[in-house]
Amino acid sequence: MGGFGTPRALRPSGRVSVYVSGAKTSQMDGPGYGYGDVMTAVNYELSDRESDGVEYGLDMRHAAYTVQGRASRVSVYTGYVGTRLAGGALKARVGHLWLDDLGGLGAVAGAHVEGRTAPVIPTSGLGRWRAGVFGGLEPNVYTLGYGESVRKMGAYGALEGARGRRHVAGYVNIHNGALTERSVLTVTNYLPAGPLSVYQAAEYDLSPPAGGRGHDGLTYFFSNARVNVSRRLELLGTVSRGRSVDTRGLSDDIQAGRAVSQQSLDGLRYESVGGRATVEVLPRLRVHAGYSRDKNNRDDASTGRWQVGAFGGNVFDTGLDVTVSDNRTARPDGSYHSTYLSMGRELGRRIYATAEYSTALSQVRFVRGDGIIIDSRPETKRAGVNGSILLWRSTSLLLSAERTTGNDYKELRVLAGITLSLIHI
């Protein structure tokens, strides 16, 4: 054991989680059916050293299904070995990597080298610089394997300061066979300035995707600004817009000689602009209200959406934690009203139970080559109960049951899961 002031040695940490779920669905105009799955998640890592030494990490999933004809699936998010060198100034890793600095573009199966100016972010001054390069294959994140004839490479630079300040600029080039699938610049920023904090993320295609058949320019932009006007009042504004295009499907179709529609090239266009005010009206009780203009699907008109809600912890000293929200959207063909209510409470020292109710759910459907379509189902209602139980210091049990009903179907779903922490630091 080290003496007073001696930093604790870095130790590996991890967890193993197993979830078993089953559901039974009945259709109003047809036979019902049941299905289930068993999902196992494994995470174990020793990373982010401040000094020299070996680093490694593994984060993977396995899913098995009871549905006939649906094969089990293994997903590897990260699986790497690496080392810190030169007093922690250099990092090198090989394997399945996820580079957080690049967001959704950060998956690569190959090699990554990064250098930094200091092992710890300074609390004053300009901050710490980091820069890295990477290259390799494009992994299939949700299944084992790699994109056929797909190569990815790029570089990034980051400046990090006190209070989480961060500025990152990166470049990613993805080649699919002979085509340049994407040549994209990605930028993220987080800037805290007194009571104001601003976060921004953007992607800009430097050349048209899919070998020049798509659209270059701004692909994605998101920003929010939060300001604490006073101890009890917080204001939040958000802006989001962009285009979702299946560049992998387009590139595969072009190389195979299949026809590509203009609709596929345009992709899904979406945008949202809104704001929200949150007020602490009583100790541990906060209410909020906001308004936004949204466009979720390519051919939809922009619609207005109002949201009001509240959160209270240990309301009136009852031990109850309560969350409620209400959303109303005005559309040319009528209004859309969605309500959510949740109540939770500790039962003893080891159990936390929650009951929840929601209406008017949405369903996301993926259409290959044409992005996603969001279906609103205002007639649906869902009720559920959840329980989290601490069995031992390193083991917890999750139990859940929910029932969903609509105009044309009913579904009952149950889930049980257990999580074991491999080590405590």
Side-chain angles (χ1 to χ4, degrees):
M1 179 181 296
F4 178 79
T6 303
R8 181 182 295 180
L10 186 65
R11 301 172 63 191
S13 63
R15 63 183 181 273
V16 176
S17 302
V18 180
Y19 298 93
V20 180
S21 66
K24 183 176 181 180
T25 300
S26 58
Q27 304 288 338
M28 298 301 182
D29 56 353
Y33 62 93
Y35 57 93
D37 55 59
V38 179
M39 305 190 70
T40 304
V42 178
N43 172 268
Y44 194 73
E45 65 177 0
L46 188 153
S47 60
D48 298 326
R49 286 183 174 274
E50 296 182 3
S51 58
D52 293 357
V54 175
E55 296 183 334
Y56 51 84
L58 175 66
D59 188 355
M60 63 182 298
R61 310 284 190 272
H62 177 270
Y65 308 95
T66 61
V67 178
Q68 186 176 4
R70 187 172 184 182
S72 60
R73 186 177 67 184
V74 177
S75 309
V76 178
Y77 295 92
T78 60
Y80 64 86
V81 294
T83 183
R84 284 279 183 185
L85 304 167
L90 293 178
K91 175 176 71 175
R93 292 177 177 177
V94 294
H96 277 245
L97 310 169
W98 195 288
L99 310 182
D100 294 333
D101 293 298
L102 301 174
L105 295 169
V108 61
H112 170 222
V113 178
E114 180 188 89
R116 63 188 183 187
T117 58
V120 179
I121 299 175
T123 57
S124 61
L126 188 61
R128 178 181 73 178
W129 289 94
R130 292 187 297 108
V133 295
F134 60 93
L137 307 176
E138 173 87 287
N140 298 328
V141 177
Y142 299 110
T143 59
L144 282 179
Y146 311 92
E148 186 176 353
S149 302
V150 179
R151 303 290 183 268
K152 175 184 283 189
M153 64 185 66
Y156 63 90
L159 174 62
E160 300 168 315
R163 296 180 56 202
R165 177 170 57 84
R166 193 180 192 192
H167 313 282
V168 182
Y171 171 75
V172 180
N173 183 285
I174 305 174
H175 258 73
N176 189 338
L179 295 181
T180 299
E181 184 172 296
R182 292 196 73 185
S183 176
V184 57
L185 176 67
T186 174
V187 178
T188 57
N189 294 285
Y190 175 70
L191 179 63
L196 173 68
S197 61
V198 180
Y199 173 79
Q200 170 270 319
E203 292 181 9
Y204 189 95
D205 278 285
L206 300 176
S207 62
R213 299 287 294 275
H215 300 275
D216 59 0
L218 187 66
T219 307
Y220 167 75
F221 177 81
F222 172 81
S223 180
N224 70 29
R226 186 188 306 267
V227 57
N228 295 312
V229 179
S230 66
R231 187 175 66 86
R232 295 181 178 273
L233 174 61
E234 176 189 276
L235 300 179
L236 173 69
T238 61
V239 176
S240 177
R241 63 178 303 171
R243 178 189 294 114
S244 178
V245 179
D246 180 17
T247 55
R248 177 61 40 78
L250 287 173
S251 298
D252 290 344
D253 288 343
I254 291 170
Q255 294 188 102
R258 292 187 287 264
V260 175
S261 67
Q262 187 62 44
Q263 196 176 56
S264 300
L265 295 171
D266 291 341
L268 169 68
R269 298 178 182 177
Y270 58 90
E271 58 186 37
S272 177
V273 179
R276 187 183 70 187
T278 303
V279 182
E280 185 180 22
V281 294
L282 294 172
R284 303 189 303 273
L285 177 61
R286 298 167 68 88
V287 299
H288 61 85
Y291 178 78
S292 66
R293 299 289 299 181
D294 306 319
K295 179 178 179 180
N296 294 326
N297 294 321
R298 178 180 51 248
D299 300 322
D300 286 354
S302 181
T303 58
R305 176 169 57 90
W306 286 96
Q307 182 191 64
V308 295
F311 169 77
N314 190 21
V315 177
F316 302 120
D317 295 322
T318 61
L320 284 174
D321 302 323
V322 179
T323 300
V324 60
S325 66
D326 188 87
N327 291 269
R328 293 178 181 267
T329 302
R331 292 176 174 166
D333 57 351
S335 63
Y336 177 78
H337 181 203
S338 175
T339 301
Y340 175 80
L341 173 64
S342 171
M343 291 189 295
R345 194 182 191 282
E346 287 187 349
L347 304 176
R349 298 179 58 186
R350 293 178 175 270
I351 301 176
Y352 189 87
T354 305
E356 59 182 27
Y357 174 79
S358 57
T359 66
L361 310 178
S362 295
Q363 183 180 51
V364 178
R365 293 188 293 111
F366 176 75
V367 182
R368 188 180 187 277
D370 197 24
I372 61 175
I373 299 296
I374 300 175
D375 286 339
S376 299
R377 310 193 69 173
E379 79 283 358
T380 54
K381 297 179 176 62
R382 179 174 62 188
V385 291
N386 306 280
S388 178
I389 306 170
L390 181 63
L391 300 179
W392 298 282
R393 188 181 70 165
S394 60
T395 307
S396 60
L397 175 67
L398 172 67
L399 300 173
S400 175
E402 63 179 42
R403 181 179 178 84
T404 304
T405 59
N407 286 342
D408 56 352
Y409 78 102
K410 295 180 180 179
E411 181 182 71
L412 175 64
R413 176 183 291 271
V414 295
L415 179 146
I418 189 166
T419 297
L420 170 65
S421 298
L422 301 180
I423 194 167
H424 284 276
I425 297 179

